[in-house]
Amino acid sequence: VLILALDTATEQGSLALVEDDRPLLEYTLSSAGTYLSRLLPAVAELLAAAGREPAELQAIGVSIGPGNFTGLRIGCATAKALAWSLNCPLVPVPAMEVLAAQLPFQAQPIGVVLDAKRNEAFWGLYRCPADRPQVLAEAVRLPLAELSGRLRPPLILTGFLESLIPLLSDAGILLAPPELRRPRAAILARLAGLRLAAGLTASPQQLVPTYLRPPL
Amino acid sequence: VLILALDTATEQGSLALVEDDRPLLEYTLSSAGTYLSRLLPAVAELLAAAGREPAELQAIGVSIGPGNFTGLRIGCATAKALAWSLNCPLVPVPAMEVLAAQLPFQAQPIGVVLDAKRNEAFWGLYRCPADRPQVLAEAVRLPLAELSGRLRPPLILTGFLESLIPLLSDAGILLAPPELRRPRAAILARLAGLRLAAGLTASPQQLVPTYLRPPL
């Protein structure tokens, strides 16, 4: 199965082309403010570099958040339009699972934090004892002031949370290295492949991101 | 410190631009056969997409293998020429450490396997209890027939080893997920930053890759 995966849930976007379990190509794309003008050209470039045609795509995987509103809207709109036009399955994947899956074979829980702006954070708790994440606590939105109360060792902390790191200096908490704290679309594609096999697809006409907050 | 990192030790190349500990952009580049025509344009594209000039680069990190001969030659030649021309430090990083560093916070040893062609493999043993790899056994080249004798649990196995997977079906061995088995230049850049801070740079005029085999 040839899967195109888009992750624009954070300010560091990622897109990848994965065939069966073989990652073919993967690009990062910064930042959220330029996704509208840069995401579709990057998709075209990725396919061209891999020598593939859009019609060969067999599924579109997309991060549904929570995360950056602008990024999620553009990523989901693009993925929905591609899946509808190419008549292939659309597979939504929770943003935090893409991050937790980057830390396999871990006995301790993995906490995922994303910046929700306005002094709030998105927070979810996972474990990844083998190569796929399990949900311990679904993503929620909470005030930054409540975040430190959630950080109890043993815990590995990850997420695109650069602005929050000064708040997260608890002893005994392991902070994932910076390059493992960003979403990777190649991982999203693998999780999308598992969901596709389980029939967990979405309607291109109806999918909405997980905002976890009323839109402005 | 703004670091450009190139990893062409396998058939799946990777290049990244990292500033201090912040990964700015990262691209994959397939395959070894096209590195000569595609690596330098990809470097130019990476810098342009990040809005940076070549003169702003403060170090060049490069994978020195072992690995794919063609890839290592082109990657090292490119990195050496860039470092020399831009008059910035050149930081060599062992290919296998880039792969082991992708599996942090692991108690068990990490075995890295790379295809050495001609029925041989490159093999090295590491551990990564925190966020940087430690060498348990330096990379060696050995016949494929001897490889299975090295695989003793507990062990996490990684590396760009797709053609070898059928040979590696030992019970009790954890195989890293496919998208974590490929070199990532953003990780190489972080390791290069640590080596740069420790003064572990190389002369652009003298660096040669770790072939572990007399060239043809």
Side-chain angles (χ1 to χ4, degrees):
Chain A
V1 180
L2 185 67
I3 300 182
L4 171 71
L6 308 179
D7 194 319
T8 56
T10 69
E11 281 152 52
Q12 182 134 20
S14 177
L15 58 166
L17 197 61
V18 173
E19 185 155 45
D20 301 321
D21 260 354
R22 206 161 58 94
L24 302 179
L25 286 171
E26 187 174 22
Y27 293 166
T28 54
L29 198 65
S30 306
S31 65
T34 60
Y35 285 153
L36 186 57
S37 58
R38 291 178 55 199
L39 183 59
L40 195 58
V43 167
E45 202 178 294
L46 189 75
L47 285 169
R52 298 305 186 99
E53 297 293 331
E56 292 178 62
L57 293 174
Q58 291 168 287
I60 311 290
V62 66
S63 174
I64 48 157
N68 178 289
F69 275 31
T70 306
L72 290 176
R73 284 175 180 141
I74 296 169
C76 282
T78 304
K80 289 163 68 166
L82 287 169
W84 185 79
S85 313
L86 300 170
N87 197 26
C88 70
L90 175 64
V91 188
V93 179
M96 289 188 174
E97 297 191 19
V98 178
L99 288 157
Q102 200 159 168
L103 296 157
F105 312 130
Q106 301 291 352
Q108 58 247 66
I110 299 170
V112 183
V113 179
L114 292 167
D115 193 347
K117 313 287 174 177
R118 296 187 251 166
N119 288 313
E120 294 183 318
F122 299 118
W123 162 256
L125 199 62
Y126 302 83
R127 58 195 295 267
C128 200
D131 63 358
R132 58 196 70 175
Q134 301 167 354
V135 181
L136 294 178
E138 291 282 1
V140 292
R141 174 174 55 92
L142 43 76
L144 285 185
E146 287 178 25
L147 187 58
S148 61
R150 307 287 179 121
L151 307 179
R152 284 182 292 266
L155 182 71
I156 298 176
L157 195 61
T158 189
F160 192 89
L161 45 70
E162 317 312 305
S163 60
L164 306 179
I165 288 176
L167 305 172
L168 304 174
S169 55
D170 260 52
I173 306 288
L174 300 171
L175 182 62
E179 71 281 356
L180 304 185
R181 293 201 302 263
R182 281 105 201 287
R184 284 189 58 201
I187 293 178
L188 193 158
R190 177 165 59 87
L191 302 183
L194 294 168
R195 285 171 178 257
L196 179 65
L200 297 170
T201 60
S203 157
Q205 301 197 36
Q206 288 169 12
L207 180 69
V208 287
T210 306
Y211 290 123
L212 290 187
R213 173 149 63 196
L216 286 177
Chain B
V1 180
L2 185 67
I3 300 181
L4 171 70
L6 309 178
D7 193 319
T8 57
T10 70
E11 281 151 52
Q12 181 134 20
S14 176
L15 58 165
L17 197 62
V18 172
E19 185 154 45
D20 302 323
D21 260 353
R22 206 161 58 94
L24 302 180
L25 286 172
E26 187 174 21
Y27 292 167
T28 54
L29 200 64
S30 307
S31 65
T34 60
Y35 285 153
L36 186 57
S37 58
R38 292 176 56 197
L39 183 58
L40 196 58
V43 167
E45 201 179 296
L46 190 75
L47 285 168
R52 299 305 187 98
E53 297 293 329
E56 292 177 63
L57 293 173
Q58 291 168 289
I60 311 289
V62 67
S63 173
I64 49 156
N68 177 289
F69 275 33
T70 306
L72 290 174
R73 284 174 179 141
I74 296 169
C76 282
T78 304
K80 289 163 69 166
L82 288 170
W84 185 79
S85 312
L86 301 169
N87 197 26
C88 71
L90 175 64
V91 188
V93 179
M96 290 189 173
E97 297 191 20
V98 178
L99 288 157
Q102 200 159 168
L103 294 157
F105 312 130
Q106 300 291 352
Q108 59 247 64
I110 299 170
V112 183
V113 179
L114 291 168
D115 194 346
K117 314 285 175 179
R118 294 187 252 169
N119 288 313
E120 294 184 318
F122 298 118
W123 161 255
L125 199 62
Y126 302 82
R127 58 195 296 268
C128 200
D131 63 358
R132 59 196 70 175
Q134 300 167 356
V135 181
L136 294 179
E138 291 282 1
V140 292
R141 174 173 54 93
L142 43 76
L144 284 186
E146 287 179 27
L147 188 57
S148 61
R150 306 288 178 119
L151 307 180
R152 283 183 293 266
L155 183 70
I156 298 176
L157 195 61
T158 189
F160 192 88
L161 45 70
E162 316 311 305
S163 61
L164 306 179
I165 288 176
L167 305 171
L168 304 173
S169 55
D170 259 51
I173 306 287
L174 300 170
L175 182 62
E179 71 281 356
L180 303 185
R181 294 201 300 264
R182 281 104 203 287
R184 284 189 57 201
I187 293 178
L188 193 158
R190 176 164 61 86
L191 301 183
L194 294 168
R195 285 172 178 257
L196 179 66
L200 297 170
T201 60
S203 157
Q205 301 195 35
Q206 289 169 12
L207 179 69
V208 287
T210 307
Y211 291 122
L212 290 186
R213 173 148 67 194
L216 288 178

